[in-house]
């Protein structure tokens, strides 16, 4: 029962679940309703078709899929075949995707009708990675529907120490890093969630977050491990979400603040049904007025703090503490631990703000091809999140701010360093500062200030177009100011706060 | 994070739970309602008082407790201090208890007002084991209430490989064996149950099985691991159980067939509320008419097959399969496996009856002081249960009969060999055969046939009294026939079936 890695071998989750509760509802996606037996059959078929491409255990399969049936099945097909899934963000620019595809060494990129052009763009100058589509789209490009089912051996067991997923996360260095997530990371994440929020055979968890982020992906693992249904929406539509809660038996829901805000706006003051037992609210500290509105409407919000590097939830406020600990992200999920360390490297006292550190089986073993970044992030088993927060007297976590330089816009993380690098690549730009400023709809929006090279001329509009070529839309600064001088302190250090103040007087 | 045993160290369950959801209802017992924080405080206090007796990590603490607050707290106190719990059956005779106390080397026996005389009787001729009571009962006998709280270090982590409990189970050899149950056995048992039946923060599991059997004890672990309440009844009273389901929010319930039968009789045809989401039915194959009555009344019965050696459930029928697979005990709980082996030692085909074998992290590491019995029971990781059953085409387990010689009376296991040994100890008895015969109330009842030593005279009444001295009441034969000759086949082998036929014509 022990694998080569020293971790125990365990029955593959969907394979097991399809035998344990074959007839139970598993997935609603792409207009279809699948039982666990049907979902397992879909996953097996997809695994055998991927095998027909020559994909073998350990190979990396990149996907560029909007939410839908294929995006919900492929994580299980990957488990059955022993591949490593690299779910790419469909909002990235072709050059960003090309970089990630090259970094992970993917041999195949799976695209859908809606992402075909983007995939083509990403693969244009990339040797060694080929295109496969979900359905027949172009002659000469294989499609899953048409591929034969190879007689590949499918796995009945998984090794908790093996990597299942590589999820790219941007970083302060300007280049995204591929966080490795093992079967064990996903297993413990699902277990910790069930031990906190509970799980029932009759539960139905609505997925309106992208399945290429851990916030969405992790719901699929919870579904097969605990044995309840996942309802996948193709995109976030507040009216459709409200409708699913009212009429389709949704009991759990994962959202970020801006989504919740829009749901409430679309609905007015009409109460939600009591069948909705938990709204898991992630993506950064929630505005207090929003939490108070939810409390007033009786909406059971469980605020959570999670990271790509921890396969989603680190800490989540248990439903019954929603009012007593309003604004807290709760306590760490079993059996993980959270510490706060001050700037001086000392253990913070209760109430004292410092960096949030996480330890436990949800923590990534590291970043692909980044031994130094891994060593810097995970020391003695403790993940340094870079985020700021404190623990109260009872050990409840309050996240004060994501790491100082991080911008969270509509639930997507934007690292200023990456946007600054794109601006600096323009020959006319001498210096660039990117910051996030408060935005009523998206939480924060990205803005930039640049100083030009002496004698150069370029308009803000031209720089905007330049960025659009190189960056995902949500990373492109909504406003770019061209200034004569950037604010610095006496020692010459750039004052980001002062830049932010240009948009946010009084901050 | 790895312990000396090679198993991971994990946060002690109640310690963790009390921090994660301190205010949530944990336990209703002995007229008190305790939150998880209060339950943890009770367990800590009890642990420190036990430490004041000189009990140290690894020491065995025997308990002789009826269901109640102390019996529900002591398993957690034992975890916090690192003791090993030996919960003794309060229905045993003093000589049976004395044997088990000596076998496990317990230094202290914890008794309650209702079991004081029994405990005194057991300890009468036993050196090295001392009496402690839950409350002050006699001068010179320490009581938990009066003991000081020692400054003992309490454990915050548990080692899944360490033994938490020793539960005595009778066997064919006539002497009970102490099955060792580790933290890992209990952990995986609770997890497998939650992954099958679900678990909600608002659940309330009624405990009307004895807490000295795994069927009752395991509910306490599920409660702290999944974070829901346990409601402990002091004894099984069908009217009180019905009342608790109607008015006290009971959502889950563990019973054996005779208990369920009596609940239905006490209730008539009145429907149960839909808040009762699962009746876990164990203790041997259930009569089909009972299952059909429950199906008709809409009572959500989940038939289960469990053993002391597996920390309770091995396989349980998922609620939605109750009708489709009526009479089945379902599929094994994650991640355990079940096989059926024929008398010839071969893998049985679907539908073919053979011995049930179980493998997985719920299986006991073995019996205390019984290397040979352990080696015979667990081979290559597979536990030989001795029970007979088959798997259908879909892998659902049907238990045909408990091991041929086992009598299950009102959910208690009686091994004929043990009762025969007691009869044979009487000087007038030359031969004895004990069998179980169908009983409308208790499932089976114990009866005996004996042949006397030539020339000896003794009445059935005298033999009955003799047994009462030596055996728990439920093991004492309800009828004893004195016969001239016991039935044997041509080779001289005793024909148990023929003896059974005397009580059960046509069997």
């Amino acid at each position: 029962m022990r694998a080569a890695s020293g971790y125990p071998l365990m029955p593959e989750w969907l394979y097991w679940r399809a035998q344990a509760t074959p007839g139970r509802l598993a997935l609603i996606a792409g207009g279809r309703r699948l039982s666990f037996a049907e979902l397992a059959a879909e996953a097996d078929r997809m695994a055998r078709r991927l095998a027909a491409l020559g994909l073998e255990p350990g190979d990396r399969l990149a996907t560029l899929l909007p939410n839908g049936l294929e995006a919900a099945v492929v994580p299980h097909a990957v488990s059955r075949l022993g591949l490593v899934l690299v779910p790419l963000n469909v909002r990235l620019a072709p050059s960003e995707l090309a970089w990630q595809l090259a970094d992970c060494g993917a041999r195949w990129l799976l695209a859908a009708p809606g992402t075909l052009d983007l995939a083509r763009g990403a693969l244009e100058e990339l040797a060694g990675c080929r295109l496969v589509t979900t359905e027949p789209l172009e002659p000469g490009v294989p499609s899953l529907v048409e591929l034969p089912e190879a007689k590949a051996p499918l796995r009945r067991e998984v090794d908790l120490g093996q990597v299942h997923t590589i999820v790219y996360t941007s970083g302060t260095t300007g280049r995204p890093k591929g966080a490795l997530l093992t079967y064990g990371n996903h297993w413990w994440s699902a277990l910790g969630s069930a031990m906190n929020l509970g799980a029932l055979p009759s539960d139905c968890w609505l997925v309106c977050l992208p399945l290429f982020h851990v916030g969405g992906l992790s719901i699929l693992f919870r579904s097969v491990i605990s044995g309840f249904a996942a309802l996948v929406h193709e995109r976030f539509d507040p009216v459709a979400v409200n409708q699913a809660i009212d009429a389709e038996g949704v009991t759990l829901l994962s959202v970020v603040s801006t989504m919740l805000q829009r749901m409430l706006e679309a609905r007015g003051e009409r109460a939600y049904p009591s069948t909705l037992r938990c709204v898991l609210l992630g993506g950064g500290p929630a505005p207090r007025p929003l939490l108070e509105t939810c409390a007033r409407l009786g909406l059971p919000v469980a605020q959570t703090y999670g990271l790509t590097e921890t396969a989603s939830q680190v800490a989540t406020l248990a439903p019954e503490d929603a009012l007593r600990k309003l604004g807290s992200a709760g306590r760490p999920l079993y059996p993980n631990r959270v510490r706060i360390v001050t700037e001086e490297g000392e253990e913070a006292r209760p109430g004292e703000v410092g960096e949030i550190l996480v330890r436990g089986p949800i923590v990534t073993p590291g970043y692909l091809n980044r031994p130094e970044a891994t060593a810097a992030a995970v020391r003695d088993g403790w993940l340094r999140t870079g985020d700021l927060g404190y623990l109260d007297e009872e050990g409840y976590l309050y996240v004060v701010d994501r790491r100082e330089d991080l911008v969270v816009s509509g639930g997507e993380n934007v690292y200023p360093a990456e946007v600054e690098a794109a601006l600096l690549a323009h020959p006319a730009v001498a210096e660039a500062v990117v910051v996030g400023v408060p935005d009523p709809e998206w939480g924060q929006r990205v803005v930039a200030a640049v100083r030009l090279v002496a004698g150069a001329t370029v308009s803000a509009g031209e720089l905007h177009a330049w960025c659009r070529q190189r960056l995902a839309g949500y990373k492109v600064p909504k406003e770019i100011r061209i200034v004569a001088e950037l604010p610095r302190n006496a020692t010459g250090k750039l004052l980001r706060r002062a830049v932010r103040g240009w948009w946010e007087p009084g901050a």
Side-chain angles (χ1 to χ4, degrees), chain A:
Chain A
M1 295 276 277
R2 292 211 164 252
S5 68
Y7 283 78
L9 282 180
M10 305 219 305
E12 199 274 326
W13 304 317
L14 178 56
Y15 172 75
W16 177 276
R17 175 56 64 190
Q19 295 189 309
T21 57
R24 194 181 290 177
L25 182 63
L27 179 67
I28 308 173
R32 290 182 58 192
R33 293 173 69 87
L34 278 71
S35 68
F36 280 107
E38 291 163 341
L39 176 59
E42 282 288 339
D44 288 4
R45 192 157 35 234
M46 189 186 280
R48 292 202 163 91
R49 285 168 166 168
L50 292 169
L53 292 173
L55 281 163
E56 288 179 4
D59 283 350
R60 283 143 198 179
L61 171 69
T63 58
L64 197 60
L65 298 173
N67 277 11
L69 186 68
E70 289 85 1
V73 171
V74 73
H76 305 303
V78 154
S79 299
R80 294 285 271 145
L81 204 53
L83 305 178
V84 175
L85 178 69
V86 188
L88 300 175
N89 186 334
V90 301
R91 300 173 71 186
L92 296 188
S95 59
E96 293 175 301
L97 293 170
W99 191 90
Q100 294 180 11
L101 285 166
D103 184 58
C104 74
R107 295 178 50 201
W108 289 93
L109 172 62
L110 175 62
T115 58
L116 182 65
D117 290 344
L118 185 57
R120 288 220 157 282
L123 293 178
E124 223 158 57
E125 294 176 30
L126 199 66
C129 183
R130 295 176 58 194
L131 184 64
V132 53
T133 54
T134 53
E135 55 191 87
L137 293 176
E138 266 186 44
V141 173
S143 83
L144 284 187
V145 177
E146 292 174 319
L147 281 165
E149 294 179 33
K151 282 199 173 68
L154 299 186
R155 301 194 166 191
R156 296 181 175 194
E157 288 181 319
V158 295
D159 174 347
L160 291 190
Q162 275 193 353
V163 173
H164 176 280
T165 333
I166 300 173
V167 184
Y168 278 89
T169 170
S170 295
T172 46
T173 56
R175 280 296 191 188
K177 296 174 295 209
L180 306 172
L181 294 176
T182 63
Y183 287 86
N185 294 148
H186 291 305
W187 164 256
W188 281 103
S189 175
L191 232 56
S193 179
M195 287 171 66
N196 186 42
L197 302 175
L200 273 194
S202 56
D203 271 333
C204 178
W205 200 312
L206 177 60
V207 186
C208 52
L209 294 172
L211 286 168
F212 49 75
H213 285 333
V214 291
L217 180 66
S218 59
I219 301 171
L220 302 180
F221 292 115
R222 281 178 218 135
S223 158
V224 296
I225 289 171
S226 285
F228 57 74
L231 164 57
V232 177
H233 278 189
E234 285 180 31
R235 64 190 62 77
F236 172 69
D237 171 345
V239 174
V241 169
N242 284 335
Q243 155 72 14
I245 293 168
D246 285 332
E248 291 168 55
V250 167
T251 57
L252 296 139
L253 172 71
S254 296
V255 287
V256 299
S257 295
T258 57
M259 295 162 70
L260 184 54
Q261 188 76 56
R262 290 174 60 193
M263 283 166 57
L264 295 177
E265 283 166 14
R267 189 176 188 85
E269 287 284 311
R270 196 154 55 87
Y272 281 92
S274 63
T275 43
L276 179 64
R277 67 180 188 81
C278 183
V279 178
L280 193 65
L281 179 62
R288 213 178 159 87
L290 176 63
L291 294 175
E292 284 165 351
T293 301
C294 290
R296 191 162 44 76
L297 293 177
L299 204 58
V301 170
Q303 215 187 325
T304 185
Y305 166 65
L307 303 164
T308 298
E309 288 87 343
T310 58
S312 78
Q313 303 170 63
V314 166
T316 302
L317 194 62
E320 70 260 38
D321 285 330
L323 288 174
R324 191 170 73 91
K325 297 284 185 181
L326 198 71
S328 168
R331 294 193 39 93
L333 298 192
Y334 192 92
N336 305 287
R337 285 188 288 161
V338 163
R339 279 168 65 203
I340 307 290
V341 173
T342 65
E343 268 187 46
E344 293 74 34
E346 283 165 18
E347 210 69 29
R349 296 179 307 276
E352 189 181 7
V353 173
E355 186 182 4
I356 303 170
L357 272 62
V358 185
R359 185 189 175 109
I362 55 170
V363 171
T364 176
Y367 301 106
L368 182 70
N369 305 330
R370 298 283 195 292
E372 284 166 24
T374 299
V378 187
R379 294 185 219 156
D380 303 324
W382 287 95
L383 173 72
R384 308 187 75 91
T385 67
D387 295 327
L388 298 177
Y390 65 90
L391 298 172
D392 71 8
E393 298 281 350
E394 292 182 85
Y396 284 66
L397 177 66
Y398 289 76
V399 181
V400 172
D401 209 350
R402 300 306 288 252
R403 59 187 93 177
E404 208 193 344
D405 55 349
L406 174 66
V407 183
V408 182
S409 184
E412 292 277 4
N413 291 351
V414 182
Y415 286 85
E418 192 180 359
V419 184
E420 288 163 4
L423 285 165
L424 288 168
H426 192 284
V429 175
E431 277 188 320
V433 173
V434 171
V435 294
V437 295
D439 183 275
E441 183 165 5
W442 300 108
Q444 286 186 296
R445 68 181 191 281
V446 178
V447 298
V450 299
R451 183 174 66 75
L452 299 186
V453 171
T457 52
V458 67
S459 72
E462 284 166 318
L463 288 177
H464 192 267
W466 171 270
C467 287
R468 282 210 71 86
Q469 289 269 321
R470 287 161 177 77
L471 296 169
Y474 63 87
K475 299 178 186 171
V476 175
K478 300 285 170 288
E479 288 176 64
I480 302 176
R481 288 198 190 184
I482 297 171
V483 298
E485 208 61 57
L486 290 171
R488 294 181 184 279
N489 69 7
T491 62
K493 197 180 164 193
L494 207 55
L495 295 169
R496 287 180 177 274
R497 187 164 300 179
V499 173
R500 218 177 281 130
W502 294 346
W503 276 269
E504 191 190 359

XYZ file of all heavy atoms in Angstrom, chain A residues 362-394:
255
model
N -1.462 20.407 2.566
C -1.996 21.127 1.403
C -0.920 21.941 0.699
O -1.147 22.448 -0.395
C -3.158 22.081 1.780
C -2.741 23.054 2.883
C -4.412 21.305 2.160
C -3.751 24.177 3.133
N 0.255 22.077 1.318
C 1.281 22.965 0.755
C 2.024 22.298 -0.411
O 2.490 21.167 -0.310
C 2.284 23.409 1.848
C 3.465 24.153 1.237
C 1.584 24.267 2.891
N 2.105 23.021 -1.524
C 2.823 22.575 -2.721
C 4.232 22.091 -2.400
O 4.895 22.667 -1.535
C 2.937 23.740 -3.735
O 3.728 23.314 -4.845
C 3.592 24.957 -3.124
N 4.701 21.051 -3.113
C 6.125 20.690 -2.955
C 7.047 21.715 -3.608
O 8.250 21.668 -3.386
C 6.219 19.329 -3.648
C 5.048 19.252 -4.570
C 3.963 20.105 -3.973
N 6.500 22.630 -4.403
C 7.366 23.665 -4.980
C 6.936 24.094 -6.365
O 5.853 23.748 -6.833
N 7.813 24.876 -7.015
C 7.532 25.388 -8.354
C 8.357 24.631 -9.383
O 9.526 24.318 -9.142
C 7.882 26.881 -8.427
C 7.120 27.740 -7.444
C 7.755 28.250 -6.308
C 5.785 28.047 -7.648
C 7.066 29.051 -5.414
C 5.085 28.838 -6.747
C 5.734 29.336 -5.633
O 5.052 30.118 -4.743
N 7.737 24.393 -10.528
C 8.426 23.699 -11.622
C 9.635 24.510 -12.083
O 9.522 25.726 -12.309
C 7.421 23.521 -12.782
C 7.935 22.771 -14.001
C 8.145 21.294 -13.679
C 6.956 22.929 -15.167
N 10.761 23.841 -12.246
C 11.987 24.473 -12.795
C 12.472 25.673 -11.978
O 13.163 26.529 -12.522
C 11.759 24.962 -14.241
C 11.267 23.868 -15.152
O 11.588 22.694 -14.943
N 10.486 24.238 -16.160
N 12.076 25.806 -10.704
C 12.431 26.999 -9.931
C 12.959 26.618 -8.556
O 12.317 26.924 -7.542
C 11.214 27.901 -9.724
C 10.584 28.466 -10.945
C 11.412 29.639 -11.505
N 10.606 30.371 -12.452
C 10.209 29.901 -13.637
N 10.553 28.682 -14.012
N 9.477 30.660 -14.439
N 14.094 25.930 -8.523
C 14.606 25.522 -7.206
C 14.817 26.696 -6.260
O 14.542 26.584 -5.064
C 15.928 24.815 -7.540
C 16.243 25.182 -8.952
C 14.949 25.501 -9.633
N 15.243 27.832 -6.801
C 15.507 28.960 -5.908
C 14.220 29.583 -5.389
O 14.112 29.914 -4.199
C 16.356 30.020 -6.608
C 17.821 29.585 -6.699
C 18.629 30.429 -7.670
O 18.226 31.583 -7.928
O 19.652 29.924 -8.167
N 13.240 29.726 -6.280
C 11.950 30.271 -5.846
C 11.298 29.325 -4.837
O 10.686 29.756 -3.863
C 11.035 30.484 -7.047
N 11.448 28.018 -5.062
C 10.894 27.025 -4.136
C 11.555 27.157 -2.769
O 10.880 27.183 -1.735
C 11.093 25.602 -4.693
O 10.404 25.499 -5.942
C 10.556 24.555 -3.733
N 12.880 27.240 -2.783
C 13.613 27.345 -1.516
C 13.231 28.618 -0.769
O 13.146 28.630 0.461
C 15.113 27.300 -1.783
N 12.975 29.683 -1.523
C 12.607 30.948 -0.870
C 11.189 30.885 -0.316
O 10.888 31.482 0.714
C 12.727 32.094 -1.871
N 10.326 30.135 -0.995
C 8.915 30.115 -0.594
C 8.643 29.117 0.525
O 7.840 29.378 1.420
C 8.028 29.789 -1.793
N 9.276 27.954 0.461
C 8.997 26.914 1.452
C 10.268 26.640 2.252
O 11.229 26.079 1.732
C 8.492 25.609 0.789
C 8.053 24.612 1.853
C 7.331 25.897 -0.165
N 10.262 27.076 3.517
C 11.437 26.848 4.373
C 11.011 26.052 5.593
O 10.069 26.434 6.286
C 12.038 28.187 4.833
C 12.622 28.980 3.686
C 13.307 30.243 4.213
N 13.053 31.355 3.301
C 13.096 32.640 3.633
N 13.384 32.991 4.886
N 12.848 33.574 2.751
N 11.703 24.947 5.841
C 11.374 24.059 6.967
C 9.896 23.656 6.936
O 9.249 23.550 7.987
C 11.677 24.738 8.316
C 13.124 25.176 8.418
O 13.989 24.449 7.884
O 13.381 26.237 9.005
N 9.377 23.456 5.745
C 7.984 23.015 5.631
C 6.968 24.133 5.694
O 5.780 23.899 5.473
N 7.427 25.354 5.998
C 6.503 26.496 6.105
C 6.486 27.292 4.817
O 7.527 27.755 4.354
C 6.907 27.407 7.268
C 6.616 26.818 8.615
C 7.487 26.121 9.404
C 5.376 26.881 9.333
N 6.866 25.736 10.562
C 5.562 26.191 10.551
C 4.123 27.448 9.059
C 4.550 26.050 11.505
C 3.106 27.311 10.000
C 3.334 26.619 11.203
N 5.293 27.465 4.251
C 5.135 28.282 3.053
C 5.013 29.749 3.451
O 4.149 30.128 4.252
C 3.869 27.860 2.294
C 3.470 28.746 1.100
C 4.422 28.542 -0.076
C 2.025 28.473 0.678
N 5.894 30.563 2.896
C 5.817 32.013 3.130
C 4.882 32.588 2.072
O 5.226 32.643 0.903
C 7.202 32.641 3.036
C 8.246 31.946 3.919
C 9.552 32.707 3.931
N 9.414 33.886 4.743
C 9.691 33.924 6.046
N 10.162 32.849 6.654
N 9.510 35.025 6.725
N 3.710 33.037 2.496
C 2.721 33.474 1.514
C 2.975 34.879 1.007
O 2.497 35.249 -0.055
C 1.309 33.459 2.126
O 1.246 34.470 3.144
C 0.984 32.113 2.730
N 3.705 35.690 1.782
C 3.882 37.085 1.411
C 2.665 37.932 1.753
O 2.708 39.155 1.646
N 1.578 37.286 2.155
C 0.384 38.031 2.530
C 0.462 38.469 3.986
O 1.132 37.843 4.803
C -0.868 37.161 2.328
C -1.080 36.826 0.865
O -0.751 37.659 0.007
O -1.571 35.712 0.586
N -0.247 39.561 4.273
C -0.206 40.108 5.623
C -1.500 39.812 6.384
O -2.591 39.895 5.817
C -0.003 41.624 5.554
C 1.312 42.056 4.899
C 1.379 43.572 4.823
C 2.505 41.497 5.676
N -1.345 39.478 7.650
C -2.525 39.206 8.452
C -2.164 39.061 9.911
O -1.008 39.250 10.301
N -3.176 38.764 10.721
C -2.918 38.501 12.137
C -3.872 37.424 12.638
O -4.889 37.124 11.993
C -3.040 39.782 12.972
C -4.418 40.394 13.019
C -5.332 40.026 14.015
C -4.823 41.333 12.079
C -6.602 40.595 14.052
C -6.088 41.908 12.114
C -6.975 41.532 13.104
O -8.235 42.073 13.147
N -3.513 36.844 13.763
C -4.374 35.882 14.434
C -4.939 36.561 15.674
O -4.209 37.253 16.384
C -3.579 34.638 14.865
C -2.943 33.821 13.738
C -2.020 32.736 14.309
C -4.016 33.172 12.868
N -6.220 36.351 15.949
C -6.750 36.942 17.180
C -6.470 36.003 18.356
O -5.796 34.977 18.205
C -8.241 37.306 17.030
C -9.149 36.081 16.978
O -8.661 34.948 17.209
O -10.349 36.261 16.717
N -6.983 36.353 19.526
C -6.676 35.584 20.742
C -7.102 34.115 20.599
O -6.525 33.231 21.216
C -7.399 36.197 21.951
C -6.998 37.628 22.286
C -5.680 37.709 23.048
O -5.190 36.644 23.480
O -5.142 38.823 23.196
N -8.144 33.863 19.798
C -8.638 32.494 19.621
C -8.023 31.787 18.417
O -8.450 30.693 18.051
C -10.173 32.504 19.468
C -10.913 32.914 20.727
C -12.428 32.840 20.506
O -12.994 31.742 20.667
O -13.039 33.864 20.173
